[in-house]
Amino acid sequence: MTRVDDVQAVVFGLDAEVFALSVEVVREILDHRPAFRMPHAPEWLAGLIDVRGDAIPVVDLNVRLGRAPTALTPTTRILVVDAVAGERRLTLGLIVSRVLEVCAFTPDEIEAAPEIGGHWRSDYVGGVTRRGGAFVVHLDLARIFAGDADALNGDLRDAA
């Protein structure tokens, strides 16, 4: 039974690691499709896709987190999310290895992010949950894209 204060999240994989985003920021989950690559775009910006007539910038989340590019497989998905970049609210597609489930976490299950090294920057982490003997890392999109407003501006979408 889900309680009012539970955090509903989309749980997904990036390679062998498991992450989560609040369902409040996830608009939809799409099968992967090729993106139109923009000239001179940052490496993490895979390009643009059309979603019901809207040009949506697509980000390889692995690359944005400083990791190797996502290997494309039949389970690769694009999470269409509402993210904040600086002062702007943007709709983005995030390439992820696979979507595992949509589930609820109680607030007391979510621990503060540890201040240790690793494959990702700890300031991008909103918290960590233990699930089935493994960790689920709750990402903070506002922190991940805070300095990227220029790279994700409306001019890129207008070029499609």
Side-chain angles (χ1 to χ4, degrees):
M1 182 174 169
T2 304
R3 300 181 320 195
V4 174
D5 59 345
D6 284 354
V7 175
Q8 298 287 324
V10 175
V11 179
F12 60 92
L14 289 175
D15 301 325
E17 294 173 331
V18 179
F19 297 85
L21 286 173
S22 168
V23 296
E24 293 176 2
V25 300
V26 179
R27 283 191 182 189
E28 60 187 303
I29 301 167
L30 304 173
D31 289 337
H32 183 267
R33 60 182 85 162
F36 173 77
R37 181 84 176 130
M38 299 298 301
H40 310 292
E43 194 61 34
W44 49 263
L45 186 57
L48 300 172
I49 61 170
D50 179 79
V51 178
R52 284 179 289 292
D54 291 327
I56 305 293
V58 177
V59 172
D60 186 329
L61 190 54
N62 260 333
V63 176
R64 184 62 192 92
L65 294 175
R67 300 158 46 113
T70 302
L72 301 180
T73 70
T75 63
T76 304
R77 299 290 180 262
I78 297 175
L79 300 179
V80 179
V81 300
D82 290 318
V84 174
E87 301 292 318
R88 300 190 54 205
R89 190 163 193 77
L90 302 168
T91 300
L92 302 173
L94 303 177
I95 299 172
V96 301
S97 301
R98 67 204 169 284
V99 173
L100 301 168
E101 64 180 323
V102 176
C103 64
F105 297 99
T106 62
D108 55 330
E109 285 181 291
I110 302 172
E111 304 170 26
E115 289 298 325
I116 59 173
H119 298 295
W120 31 266
R121 293 178 41 179
S122 61
D123 59 330
Y124 291 167
V125 178
V128 177
T129 304
R130 298 167 197 263
R131 191 94 158 175
F135 289 103
V136 176
V137 176
H138 297 257
L139 294 176
D140 185 328
L141 290 181
R143 291 184 197 162
I144 292 171
F145 294 107
D148 297 324
D150 291 338
L152 295 166
N153 69 28
D155 295 338
L156 287 179
R157 288 191 301 272
D158 294 339

